[in-house]
Amino acid sequence: MRDVHVSAITDAVKKLCIEANLDLEPDMLRAFDGALRRERSPAGKQVLQILKQNAEMARTRRIPYCQDTGFVVCFVELGQDVHVTGGGLDDAINDGVRQGYTEGYLRASIVRSPFDRVNTGDNTPAVIHVDVGPGATLRIMVMAKGGGCENRSKYKMLTPAEGVAGVKEWIIECVKTAGPDACPPLILGVGVGGTFEKSAILSKKALFRELGSPNPDPQLDALEKELLDRANRLGIGPQGYGGDTTAFGIHILTYPCHITSLPVAVTIECHAHRHKEVTL
Amino acid sequence: MSVTTAADGIKEIGTPLSDGDVESLRAGDRVRITGVLYTARDAAHGRLFPLIEKGEKLPFDPRGQIIYYTGPSPARPGDVVGSIGPTTASRMDTFTPSLLGLGLKGTIGKGYRSQPVKDALRAHKGVYFGAIGGAGAVLSQFIKKLSIVAYEDLGTEAIRRLEVEGFPAIVINDCHGGDLYQDGVKAYAREGA
């Protein structure tokens, strides 16, 4: 067994929350540059240039890239030879969120109940997913998930007969309905298979793959490329002002499913794709 | 008239806006706004609406004004404001026609508006501007002064009065039925989508 004290987890999460909001990952910066080379629309090009400038300003002036500094979605891969000491894992993560959002001048966007809607004041709690597997390391992946794009995320239970063709149509439909509301260029996380909740969780997890990297499954990789090309023919463009860059990427994860089912969940992510990870 | 066209083709707008100002704006026009904006989003609209229904006075006079749908992040010491980009406008759609009826001239946000809002823009001479969603750091640079007008307990959702200089936006829906989102898709959609 390897001991990991909760204070190390709290410190790590705090840092990840702050840095995710101020310092966009290189995969996003590369996506802006790539899109600027291809985009035909002058309005679209201008949006992309401003977004690049925004990323630079966020990093150098320590002002969050987006005022919606997100709901913290945290995926933890916990090695089964790790022993978390000094407290609970969830509490440690939430303490990190609390410290990060308070000390980092990040916006508190979480209300304690969907009905009374009183702000918790420190952006807690996070949404935490833990997977336990072999090993003695603790991998923490943090996403600051914007609300505007999350609101355009969708779920559909297709029939097995609708098959891959049905899945494709549904995904393109999701891009169309998200449109300018979700701050394109978008990134789509897609979970196909499993049960109702499994596909939704996969759709979130899919977003952590490096943007621009191939899907390790060649068939899924081809599917992703085909869908991305189709999405970028819709004409929605950056911010919906018209153009060729409606999406930066479509990432698909699958899971075995029941003979009756073909669940598809699509998490819509905006260009403010703020993700960071650390392995302890 | 408080709308003029600058040498770079961008329209300079000064607040407050008149009917004539609004009529001179067309979907797709790039603008720079100087003057006052009021921030209000979901929770603030939720409190304004009962006042409107009862015919009571609002915390600010909406006549000629522009509401910016935003909830800024906290300012660092020494800064006027934190990150301050637009939020999705459609969540305010149910409230917007009434505010336009009271003389509000503009709203700034991102994303589609409902048909009733577009109809109200025509009927009451209003305009819907888009600001670049997710460009909150860049947009913070155009805010010169900030004060809380009402509902401080709502935190980021309080109504704030912003003094802005050259705030960049684009006309999405004008008062003539023009719609940049529709025009944009028409211009750039390709076969095979």
Side-chain angles (χ1 to χ4, degrees):
Chain A
M1 289 300 262
R2 175 178 163 240
D3 285 355
V4 175
H5 195 266
V6 285
S7 61
I9 297 167
T10 296
D11 288 348
V13 170
K14 170 186 166 181
K15 195 161 175 267
L16 293 173
C17 289
I18 294 174
E19 292 312 313
N21 275 293
L22 299 179
D23 191 4
L24 238 52
E25 286 287 289
D27 61 345
M28 290 308 301
L29 302 176
R30 283 196 298 272
F32 292 140
D33 286 331
L36 271 167
R37 284 194 292 273
R38 292 185 298 270
E39 180 60 60
R40 288 176 299 155
S41 147
K45 262 200 158 96
Q46 206 218 357
V47 168
L48 292 164
Q49 275 156 354
I50 291 172
L51 294 179
K52 255 189 87 171
Q53 188 193 342
N54 193 57
E56 179 63 15
M57 195 174 276
R59 188 176 65 78
T60 56
R61 302 207 42 192
R62 311 288 286 171
I63 303 170
Y65 180 88
C66 178
Q67 79 288 342
D68 179 0
T69 51
F71 204 144
V72 177
V73 179
C74 194
F75 281 87
V76 180
E77 289 175 6
L78 176 64
Q80 61 202 25
D81 294 330
V82 169
H83 177 212
V84 175
T85 61
L89 176 63
D90 283 14
D91 288 345
I93 290 169
N94 283 323
D95 283 345
V97 172
R98 183 175 296 114
Q99 291 174 18
Y101 275 71
T102 311
E103 294 170 31
Y105 297 92
L106 305 178
R107 195 179 82 177
S109 309
I110 306 304
V111 293
R112 68 181 183 186
S113 143
F115 300 120
D116 76 16
R117 305 202 74 85
V118 175
N119 199 302
T120 63
D122 56 17
N123 218 51
T124 62
V127 170
I128 302 167
H129 304 287
V130 182
D131 288 320
V132 179
T137 58
L138 179 64
R139 183 180 180 204
I140 305 172
M141 295 177 277
V142 159
M143 182 188 309
K145 184 67 178 71
C149 50
E150 184 71 5
N151 287 348
R152 294 294 171 269
S153 298
K154 283 191 185 296
Y155 179 84
K156 193 171 187 183
M157 191 66 87
L158 299 174
T159 61
E162 287 172 288
V164 69
V167 171
K168 287 182 198 176
E169 291 313 308
W170 168 244
I171 291 170
I172 294 300
E173 191 54 39
C174 287
V175 179
K176 275 192 213 170
T177 51
D181 293 10
C183 278
L186 308 173
I187 303 155
L188 272 72
V190 181
V192 190
T195 47
F196 178 78
E197 85 286 4
K198 180 71 179 178
S199 59
I201 292 169
L202 288 176
S203 76
K204 273 287 181 308
K205 196 163 190 180
L207 290 171
F208 281 96
R209 200 179 92 218
E210 186 184 344
L211 194 61
S213 68
N215 191 310
D217 177 324
Q219 276 181 324
L220 290 179
D221 191 57
L223 180 59
E224 287 180 359
K225 288 189 165 74
E226 179 192 334
L227 287 168
L228 181 61
D229 178 63
R230 284 182 60 183
N232 284 332
R233 289 172 182 271
L234 290 170
I236 297 167
Q239 287 297 306
Y241 300 166
D244 305 307
T245 320
T246 300
F248 281 142
I250 296 179
H251 293 184
I252 304 174
L253 282 175
T254 62
Y255 198 78
C257 60
H258 194 279
I259 50 174
T260 60
S261 306
L262 180 50
V264 188
V266 176
T267 290
I268 303 283
E269 171 73 319
C270 59
H271 61 75
H273 178 42
R274 294 151 294 179
H275 63 105
K276 294 272 175 189
E277 65 168 87
V278 70
T279 300
L280 301 176
Chain B
M1 285 291 283
S2 45
V3 178
T4 55
T5 304
D8 58 5
I10 298 176
K11 289 188 174 171
E12 302 279 358
I13 295 183
T15 69
L17 294 177
S18 66
D19 283 1
D21 295 330
V22 171
E23 283 173 328
S24 73
L25 297 170
R26 300 280 168 169
D29 283 352
R30 285 173 59 195
V31 303
R32 281 187 288 260
I33 303 168
T34 298
V36 172
L37 307 176
Y38 290 94
T39 73
R41 42 169 294 158
D42 309 65
H45 277 79
R47 289 193 188 177
L48 292 177
F49 206 56
L51 300 179
I52 295 172
E53 283 188 318
K54 284 183 243 160
E56 288 176 16
K57 201 167 165 252
L58 304 186
F60 67 97
D61 184 349
R63 285 175 297 179
Q65 302 300 327
I66 299 174
I67 290 181
Y68 182 19
Y69 301 135
T70 184
S73 68
R76 283 182 183 274
D79 286 351
V80 175
V81 68
S83 191
I84 184 163
T87 193
T88 313
S90 59
R91 294 196 313 275
M92 271 54 77
D93 279 352
T94 49
F95 309 114
T96 307
S98 316
L99 283 160
L100 290 166
L102 291 176
L104 184 76
K105 284 289 134 200
T107 56
I108 307 176
K110 61 165 169 112
Y112 299 120
R113 301 312 302 257
S114 67
Q115 194 55 48
V117 170
K118 292 180 199 173
D119 294 343
L121 291 175
R122 271 176 186 254
H124 302 292
K125 303 278 180 246
V127 58
Y128 169 51
F129 300 101
I132 297 181
V138 163
L139 291 171
S140 73
Q141 308 304 300
F142 301 96
I143 317 294
K144 301 303 170 187
K145 271 191 185 171
L146 176 152
S147 57
I148 303 236
V149 172
Y151 315 142
E152 192 164 8
D153 61 298
L154 294 178
T156 185
E157 296 205 62
I159 296 182
R160 290 170 168 82
R161 181 181 187 275
L162 308 176
E163 288 183 28
V164 298
E165 268 178 39
F167 185 91
I170 192 163
V171 177
I172 305 284
N173 294 110
D174 61 33
C175 69
H176 311 286
D179 186 332
L180 172 64
Y181 292 143
Q182 287 174 6
D183 295 344
V185 165
K186 264 186 217 147
Y188 289 96
R190 289 174 288 149
E191 277 182 28

